[in-house]
Every structure is written in C-alpha cells, then in structure tokens.
C-alpha cells in the first residue's frame, strides 16, 4: 500500500514529487530510527566496545550484559565466552521472560561499523545509506535482510515479557523501501 | 552377666537393623572432658553413647552425623575419626548417621545464649555447660551455627580412638601378644613380625569385647590428617558429576511431583481449577495439599508444565505484605514495650550523648534475603501402611521426623529418614516445609515413591528469608576519641518464627536480633546495644551467619562513621579500642596483609570491618576502584581466628565462599514483597556475584584461641561493611542500606 502511494506521488510531477518524496522519506526514516534506537536493537548494535547490553529487559536497571561477554573482533565471543554458551541456535518460543533468548541463527554481534548504541538519528541515517557502513548493502538488500533475518524477526517478537519496538516488521520493511525510494534522505542533508 | 550387658549396650549403640553383624564403637563421656563442669556431675548411666564407626566383614563405615550442605562437613568429620582410628579415607565408606538423640549437638544451643564468646568467666562456662546438657537431653541433632567442628573435634577423635583400641584388644586376643607389641596402620593392626591383620578381620572378635574407653588422644605432632591439606571425600564425585543429590534419586515405579502453594504463606487457597493441568501429557494426578495444589506426573518437566497451567485463587496474606509497610512496621518498633534486650550497656550512654556537642547519628537498613540454594528443595517420599520413608538433605533430622509424625499421626518409629547430601542450603534446610508437602502427596498415592522438586520460582516464592531490619545509631566524641556508641536494632525475631516450626518454645529475649553487635570486643567507654522486637511478618529463618549478617553491617558501618568523625584511622582506632587479644591479632594480620595505610592512588579506597560471630573474630579489608563505569572490587584480605584449622584447604574455601556470598548479596540482592509474596523469582532478579566481578581473596587463618571454632559462617558479616567502608574511602559516598547497588553501580 505504501509502495503504491510512492508510485502515485512520483507520477504527480518532478518538482512536487521531489519535495513530497523527501518528506515521505524523512518520515519513514524517523520511524526506522525509532526501531534502530530501540534497546532490542541497540543491545547488540554496540560497535567496537563489543559488550552487548542488557537494557529494557523488564527487570533491573540498564547495564552491560551480565555474563561479561566481550564479543571482540570475532563478534561471537570466541575470545572470551561465546554467545552460544547460553544462546542456543534453535527456534524457540522464548516463553521464559528472563531466559537467554534462542533463535534459528548463530548468535553474534553485528559488524563493528553498524554501531547504533548512543548514536543520533543523523549518525545512524548516514551510516545506513552508505554501503561502507551498512555491511555493503543496497537499500533493496537491506530490506531483504530485514525480511529474512531471524535476528530481526525475533527483535520484533522477542517472547514473553520482553520489550519490542512499537511497530511491525512488515511496516519496517515498507519504511526502508519508502526511504530508499525517496533517495535515502537524512534530516541533515542540505 | 557382663556379656549380656555388653550385647544390650551394643544393640543400643548400633540401633539399626542395617548394621547387624557389625560392631559399633562409641565414646563414653561420663568422666571425660574436664573442661565442661556439667559433665563431671553426670550420674552413672546418664552418658553420651555416640556410635561413629562401623566395621564388619564388608569394610569400614564412618558415620558422620552432621549434614553436608556443601561445606565439606562429611569430609572434616571423617578426617577427625580417621586420625585416631588410623584408616585411609580412600578405603572407607562415609554415611550420614540415622537420626538419633545420640548425635546431639552440644555446641549449637550455646549460640542462643547471651554469653559473649570472649567471656571465660565461671558463669559463662556454666551457661555453656547448661546449653550442652540441654542439647543432650533434647537429643538436639542439628547442623548449624558453624558448630560442627567445635562439637565434633574431640567427640569424633575419641570415637576413633575407642574403636582403634578395641580393635587392638581384639588383635591381642587373637595373637596373644601384648598391647605394646602391636601398632595400627592404615586400617590394620600390625604385629612385630610385620603381619598385617585388617580391621575387618578383627570385627567379629571386637564385637564380643567391651569397648576400650580408657584411651589417650594422639599428640597433634603425630597427626597425619588434621591440620594438613586434605582431598575432600566428595571431590571426585562432585568433579565428575556423579554426586547424588535429592534431585538425582531414582526408584522403580517413581512418580514426579511439584507444588503450587500460596506465595503469601498461610493465606490459604479459596479454590483452584486443575482441569487444564489434569489434561496435559504425562499428568497422573492433581491433588489438594495444605494451602495449595500438587501435580504428579511421569517426569519432573511435565509436572512443572502442568503446575504452570493451574489456576489458583489464593487467600490474602495474613501479615504485612508490602515492603514499604514492612519497613514502616520495623521503624515503629522502637518502643519501650518492644524492647527485647540490652545485653551491652557500658558506662552512661545517655549522659555521654547529652554532654556531647556534636553527636553523630545514622540509620541503616537491610532487606529480606533469600537462601536460594542451587539445588531447589527436593525430597523422595514413600508412604505405606507400615512405614514412611523419606530421602532428603536436612539439617534437622529429629525435628523433621517429629513434624512428619504430627502431620500423619504415625509413630515416629515408623518414619525412616535417609539423609543425603544437599546441593547448598545456607540455612534453608533448617526447614522441612517441602518435606511435609511431599508427605501429604505421597499419603494420597500410597506404595509409590514420590519425588517432589520445587521449581526455582517456587523455591524463591516460598523461602523463609533472612529478616529485614533497621538500626539507629548515635555516637559522640571526646578529645578526638570515640566516647559513646549507641546502637539500637529493630527487626522481627528469627528464633520466634523458626522455633515454632520445630515444635520448640521460644522463651526470653532473642539474641539473634543483636547477634554480632552486642558482644564486640571494644572498650568504648559508653557502649550500648539494644534490641527491639518488631512484629512477625513474613515467616523468617536462619540464613548463613543469621543475625550477625545484618548486624555486622550496622555495627561496622557506624564504627567507621565514628572513626571518620574522630578523624581517626579506622584500623588504628579499632586496634586502640580492642580488648581481646585474638581479635587484635586478626586486625593486625589483615592490616599487614593489605599493607594498610599505603597509598592506593586516585579513585581507589580501602575499607575495614571486623565482626566477632560464632566465637570467631574475622577482620576483612576490601579494596575498590571507582571506575568511570562503576565500582570495581579489586581485592579482599581476610584474617580469621578459629583456634585450630582442621583442613587449610577447606578453611580457605569456606572463607572465600563466605566472602563471595556476602559481597554478592551486599551488591545486588533483596527480597521485596507485594501482597505478601516476594517479587523476585529467580537468579535473574536476585543476582549473585559473577565470576568476572570476583576479587582476589587472600585468606589467613590464625590459631591463637584455645577454643576451636567453625568457619562456615563467620566470614560473612564483615564483608558487606568492609565493602561499604571501602566505597566511602574511594568516593566519599556513605551507603547506609543494602543492597548497595541502590546507590552505586558495580562493574
């Protein structure tokens, strides 16, 4: 539905379309950022520090992951405690609120350049449209990643008692496509 | 005549069909220990006959009557017997004794009396003797109060020596040789020509002899085991995962149960819907029990799943059930009517405070704390027409049998308790509520072994926690020195709450309310400690180091504040005030170990605390660094005085474990209540100290005291105040409530 709107807007005329499209893209970005800045995402998108976070778990205060995991260069904690020590790579309902979540993928932290924790909307926006800092993805590939990643899927549906972004995965995919179709505008663009 | 008497005594000594064909040796203590005046006055026949060694053709079994809850108790007890019996522990079996009055603990009751451990007056000795006699008369078989070693130290060595000499007498009869010609060595009697006669081969003859009671204990200089590092008897089983706990027991035809009872204890159940649970895979029964429901299934997992599907309508809490209101009730207990004790009242505190220009005041709080042993409550019970069999780890075998007898109306003789090792306790297995639940279940499905295990969540929601408490402290200075120190502690009575469940009266003031505070060996001119008894709320129980666990925090935090107010060094001031030489020595030791007084550099701090509990002065120094991410605990130095260290490795393990346990709770843990039920459910919201947070812990044991003491608990009380004092030294922030993470972050 949103894609259809974009097509209609694009057909309305170049000048108008550009402005309207930019606004639609910026609106889409704001919604994207509300997801990428959510603890469910930033707990793992921690960048160089390599220590996953335990924010917004529904108990205790925000802090680093309690097992002193240091994912380091390997991103899987091969240098200290591997993520798989607790996060088994198998699909699970994750029905116990405080148990280590399990998904059908090998647990790891995202690449270092995808650090989102503590970053502003402008910083993350610039990061995500640049293949150098978005794991070498086109926007279409990013959307594809969102659709297919067990991590992303779990992030929107993390199981009992866990906080999740206030939107759906489908809407996030649409927003990324809309942002891409609008030329990946960022608020700081002149 | 002599023979009949002997046999009669043997059958009493052995007391169990399981040991028929063997021979049991005991100690006959009528005239033995001159240290205890009460024993000199015992009438003929009013003796402690304590069987600890069983030998038959199959081998040697050492009976260890105190529970092993992970503290290495079986190992230490066995080594005490082995030292005199002369056996290698790799060659013997170790079994927990059957519940028996003969296994009374003569030391633990004295802890409940207002006798300072530092006091050696005639009255103090009489009091301890009275406690000993009372324990004997009651047959108080109990594991707790860090009393296993002090109680067993002489008793078990005597038992070993009596057994050895009786075996030698048997060898004399067999060989015709004199006593002087025979020696013992690693489970055998040796003759001059090198012939080795195994103890097991002498058992039959020994069984016909009167025990040789005129024995001399070995000179410590010749000890092979005591005082030397030993391999714990359970280390292989525990290292290889083969140690059997309650959760591991399996019997033919066994069924598996778990329970849901009102988390607001005693609130009852108004009704429940068990239909969904009953329909689930593997579920055999959904049964009512007191205050709740039990699910019985074909395995534990299915029982847990079905218990989650129960829909129960609980009755309301019968006590003040919300944390804020609970603290308010404690705060309101500082009244004349509720004053419980004032065992310490030196000088004239009121006058000293009145005369003071600058009084220091502070209020401290400690929360409820859960035992949370790693192995949740577990037990196997079989009920038949003829008998009830119970397998579980317990610290109170006699009381447990009495409670089961009361519950079922059976004769105590029909109740057979098989005590096994516990996967932790910290005082939780001084309660038998879970056993009574399992008996209720098993009685409804007779002739079937029922294994009942609580989920971790059920364990948390049905703990009898360590009490919460508040302390108000006031103090004044004179000429730059501490002139007065007035500590008032209010909390519910642990003894009142727990003794009722053991069917015992709780008479007089409860020393637990002021334990570890009233009897500290400081000569402050005006020095007062008052206990106030807050109303009973959540049912409470003993928790590793009991009253001293919170009171050490109160006393040592405020002493630190007073030292600071006086501009004095906290270590030097304690040493100046201390009038007990063994305590002075632990303070000196820990000062030396920690290089007290040296510069730690910016952002770092050192704190000291000393608590004398269970007769053991323990001084600890904690070093912390105030990092940009929070407080890091770097090092802990501990010096403790126990009179004699039975096993240096186990001693260090107990101290180290106690420090980690105490610091983890000080940092992170509290049990808060809402509507009568705890809000914490598992380790995720009741966190221990993690491995990466664990500091280096340096331990030194001193042996200056003439009394031997236990070390299971005394390392706990000083750890939290030493940490809080170190945080103050590093940051200037004084934290007066636990857990400390309400005010600082730890890394």
């Amino acid at each position: 539905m949103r894609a259809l709107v974009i097509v209609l807007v694009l057909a309305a005329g170049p000048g108008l379309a550009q402005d309207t499209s930019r606004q639609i893209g910026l609106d889409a970005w704001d919604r994207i950022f509300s997801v990428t800045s959510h603890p469910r995402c930033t707990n793992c998108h921690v960048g160089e520090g390599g220590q996953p976070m335990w924010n917004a778990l529904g108990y205790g205060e925000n802090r680093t992951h309690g097992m002193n995991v240091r994912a380091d260069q390997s991103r899987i904690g091969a240098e200290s405690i591997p993520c798989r020590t607790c996060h088994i790579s198998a699909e699970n309902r994750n029905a116990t609120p405080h148990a280590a979540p399990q998904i059908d993928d090998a647990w790891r932290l995202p690449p270092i350049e995808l650090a989102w924790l503590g970053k502003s909307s402008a910083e993350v926006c610039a990061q995500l449209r640049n293949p150098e800092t978005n794991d070498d993805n086109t926007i279409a590939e990013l959307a594809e990643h969102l659709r297919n990643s067990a991590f992303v899927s779990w992030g929107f549906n993390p199981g009992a008692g866990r906080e999740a972004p206030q939107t759906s995965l489908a809407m996030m995919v649409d927003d990324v496509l809309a942002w891409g179709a609008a030329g990946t505008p960022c608020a700081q663009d002149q | 005549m002599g023979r009949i008497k002997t046999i009669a005594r043997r059958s009493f000594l052995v007391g169990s069909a399981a040991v028929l064909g063997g021979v049991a040796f005991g100690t006959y203590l009528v005239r033995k220990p001159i240290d205890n005046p009460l024993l000199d006055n015992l009438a003929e026949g009013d003796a402690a006959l304590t069987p600890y060694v069983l030998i038959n053709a199959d081998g040697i079994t050492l009976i260890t009557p105190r529970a092993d809850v992970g503290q290495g108790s079986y190992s230490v007890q066995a080594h005490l017997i082995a030292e005199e019996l002369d056996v290698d522990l790799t060659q013997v079996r170790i079994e927990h004794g059957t519940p028996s009055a003969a296994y009374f603990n003569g030391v633990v009751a004295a802890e409940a009396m207002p006798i300072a451990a530092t006091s050696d007056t005639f009255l103090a000795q009489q009091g301890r003797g009275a406690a000993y006699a009372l324990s004997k008369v009651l047959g108080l078989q109990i594991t707790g109060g860090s009393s296993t070693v002090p109680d067993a130290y002489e008793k078990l060595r005597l038992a070993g020596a009596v057994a050895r000499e009786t075996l030698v007498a048997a060898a004399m009869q067999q060989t015709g040789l004199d006593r002087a010609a025979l020696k013992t060595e690693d489970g055998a009697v040796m003759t001059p020509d090198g012939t080795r006669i195994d103890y097991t081969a002498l058992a039959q003859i020994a069984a016909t002899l009167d025990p040789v009671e005129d024995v001399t204990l070995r000179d410590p200089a010749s000890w092979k085991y005591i005082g030397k590092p030993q391999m714990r008897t359970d280390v292989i089983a525990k290292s290889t995962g083969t140690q059997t706990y309650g959760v591991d027991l399996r019997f033919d035809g066994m069924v598996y149960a778990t329970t849901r009872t009102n988390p607001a204890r005693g609130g009852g159940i108004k009704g429940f819907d068990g239909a969904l649970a009953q329909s689930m895979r593997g579920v055999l029964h959904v049964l009512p029990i007191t205050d709740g429901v039990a699910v019985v299934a074909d395995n534990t997992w299915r029982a847990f799943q079905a218990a989650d599907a129960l829909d129960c309508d609980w009755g309301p809490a019968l006590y003040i059930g919300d944390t804020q209101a609970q603290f308010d009730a404690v705060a309101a207990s500082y009244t004349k009517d509720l004053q419980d004790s004032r065992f310490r009242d030196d000088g004239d505190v009121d006058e000293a405070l009145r005369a003071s220009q600058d009084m220091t005041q502070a209020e401290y709080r400690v929360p409820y704390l859960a035992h949370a042993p790693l192995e949740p409550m577990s037990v196997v019970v079989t009920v038949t027409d003829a008998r009830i069999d119970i397998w579980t780890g317990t610290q109170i075998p006699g009381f447990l049998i009495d409670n089961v007898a009361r519950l079922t109306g059976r004769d105590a003789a029909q109740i057979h308790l098989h005590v096994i090792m516990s996967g932790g306790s910290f005082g939780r297995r001084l309660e038998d509520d879970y056993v009574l639940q399992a008996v209720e279940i098993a009685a409804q499905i007779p002739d079937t072994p029922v294994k009942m295990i609580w989920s971790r969540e059920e364990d948390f929601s049905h703990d009898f926690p360590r009490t919460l408490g508040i302390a108000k402290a006031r103090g004044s200075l004179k000429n730059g020195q501490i002139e007065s120190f007035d500590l008032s502690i209010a909390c519910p009575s642990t003894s009142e709450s727990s003794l009722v469940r053991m069917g015992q009266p709780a008479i007089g003031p409860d020393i637990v309310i002021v334990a570890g505070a009233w009897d500290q060996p400081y000569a402050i001119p005006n020095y007062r400690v008052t206990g106030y008894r807050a109303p009973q709320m959540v049912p409470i129980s003993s928790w590793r180091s009991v009253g001293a666990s919170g009171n050490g925090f109160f006393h040592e935090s405020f002493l630190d504040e007073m030292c600071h107010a006086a501009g004095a060094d906290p270590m030097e001031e304690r040493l100046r005030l201390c009038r007990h030489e063994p305590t002075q020595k632990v303070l000196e030791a820990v000062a030396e170990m920690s290089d007290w007084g040296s510069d730690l550099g910016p952002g770092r701090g050192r704190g000291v605390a000393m608590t004398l509990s269970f007769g053991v002065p323990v001084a600890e120094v904690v070093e912390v660094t105030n990092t940009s991410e929070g407080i890091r605990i770097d090092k802990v130095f501990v010096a403790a005085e126990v009179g004699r260290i039975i096993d240096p490795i186990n001693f260090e393990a107990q101290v180290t474990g106690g420090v980690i346990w105490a610091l983890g709770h000080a940092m992170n843990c509290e049990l808060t209540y809402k509507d009568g039920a705890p809000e914490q459910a598992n380790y995720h919201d009741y966190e221990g100290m993690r491995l990466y947070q664990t500091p280096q812990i340096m331990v030194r044991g001193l042996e200056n005291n003439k009394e031997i003491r236990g070390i299971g608990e005394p390392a706990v009380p000083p750890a939290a105040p030493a940490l809080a004092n170190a945080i103050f030294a590093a940051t200037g922030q004084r934290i007066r409530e636990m857990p400390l993470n309400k005010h600082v972050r730890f890394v």
Side-chain angles (χ1 to χ4, degrees), chain B residues 173 299 481 738:
Chain B
Q173 189 168 324
N299 69 39
Q481 294 187 333
M738 292 208 267

Side-chain angles (χ1 to χ4, degrees), chain B residues 302-644:
Chain B
R302 288 176 183 159
F304 280 7
Q305 298 299 298
D308 282 344
L310 289 168
D311 184 8
C312 299
D313 184 10
W314 305 124
L318 303 177
Y319 45 79
I320 300 170
D322 294 280
T323 293
Q324 186 56 51
Q326 290 164 345
F327 271 114
D328 290 347
V330 176
S333 302
Y334 289 94
T335 67
K336 196 73 197 159
D337 286 348
L338 294 178
Q339 183 178 319
D340 190 69
S341 68
R342 184 169 279 171
F343 299 132
R344 159 84 68 168
D345 192 3
D346 299 346
D348 189 339
V349 168
D350 291 327
E351 178 53 34
L353 290 171
R354 225 185 338 266
S356 166
Q357 298 299 311
D358 52 349
M359 184 167 70
T360 301
Q361 287 194 78
E363 184 180 304
Y364 304 87
R365 291 182 174 216
V366 295
Y368 284 120
L369 290 175
H371 296 89
L374 194 59
E375 179 200 9
M377 298 301 99
S378 66
V379 55
V380 178
V381 180
T382 308
V383 175
T384 67
D385 281 346
R387 54 191 280 153
I388 298 174
D389 281 275
I390 299 166
W391 290 262
T392 193
T394 179
Q395 297 170 249
I396 48 163
F399 295 116
L400 188 156
I401 288 175
D402 290 347
N403 282 344
V404 171
R406 260 193 294 275
L407 175 73
T408 58
R410 301 280 190 106
D411 193 281
Q414 287 182 290
I415 299 161
H416 302 268
L417 173 60
H418 314 269
V419 180
I420 56 176
M421 194 174 274
S422 305
S425 170
F426 315 111
R428 181 62 181 86
R429 287 183 188 268
L430 287 164
E431 303 287 341
D432 58 9
D433 51 325
Y434 65 101
V435 176
L436 301 180
Q437 284 189 356
V439 170
E440 280 195 69
I441 299 165
Q444 296 181 67
I445 37 176
D447 307 316
T448 310
V450 177
K451 172 150 81 178
M452 195 203 73
I453 302 179
W454 279 358
S455 64
R456 176 80 57 210
E457 286 73 12
E458 192 72 5
D459 204 15
F460 263 88
S461 64
H462 291 86
D463 198 11
F464 296 96
R466 194 281 306 270
T467 185
L468 79 175
I470 297 177
K472 291 183 178 180
R474 300 183 298 172
S476 62
L477 306 172
K478 190 172 179 183
N479 302 327
Q481 294 187 333
I482 300 174
E483 172 73 1
S484 69
F485 188 101
D486 183 24
L487 187 65
S488 295
I489 300 165
C491 62
S493 164
T494 302
S495 302
E496 180 187 322
S497 182
S498 60
L499 285 174
V500 167
R501 296 189 291 276
M502 294 189 200
Q504 299 298 311
I507 309 159
D510 182 11
I511 198 156
V512 172
I513 293 173
V514 291
W518 76 277
D519 53 352
Q520 301 305 291
Y522 296 117
I524 300 169
N526 305 286
Y527 190 12
R528 188 164 75 187
V529 177
T530 314
Y532 292 88
R533 189 180 292 216
Q536 287 296 334
M537 295 181 282
V538 176
I540 49 179
S541 180
S542 296
W543 184 94
R544 194 176 187 178
S545 80
V546 205
S549 66
N551 295 340
F553 177 67
F554 299 150
H555 189 283
E556 290 301 282
S557 294
F558 190 62
L559 190 54
D560 209 67
E561 296 209 40
M562 290 304 298
C563 291
H564 183 70
D569 177 90
M571 183 75 79
E572 287 171 13
E573 188 65 2
R574 279 176 173 80
L575 278 165
R576 188 184 71 78
L577 293 167
C578 183
R579 289 293 180 275
H580 181 237
E581 199 180 335
T583 304
Q584 281 171 350
K585 288 192 170 151
V586 299
L587 284 164
E588 283 163 4
V590 88
E592 189 225 338
M593 289 164 77
S594 63
D595 198 13
W596 183 270
S598 64
D599 184 21
L600 281 173
R604 304 194 63 207
R606 239 187 229 119
V608 61
M610 191 293 297
T611 306
L612 198 163
S613 62
F614 306 94
V616 181
V618 182
E620 300 182 16
V621 168
V622 173
E623 276 182 21
V624 300
T625 301
N626 186 22
T627 75
S628 58
E629 284 160 348
I631 298 291
R632 186 182 68 224
I633 306 174
D634 300 313
K635 291 181 181 174
V636 180
F637 303 89
V638 192
E641 164 63 59
V642 288
R644 185 177 295 276

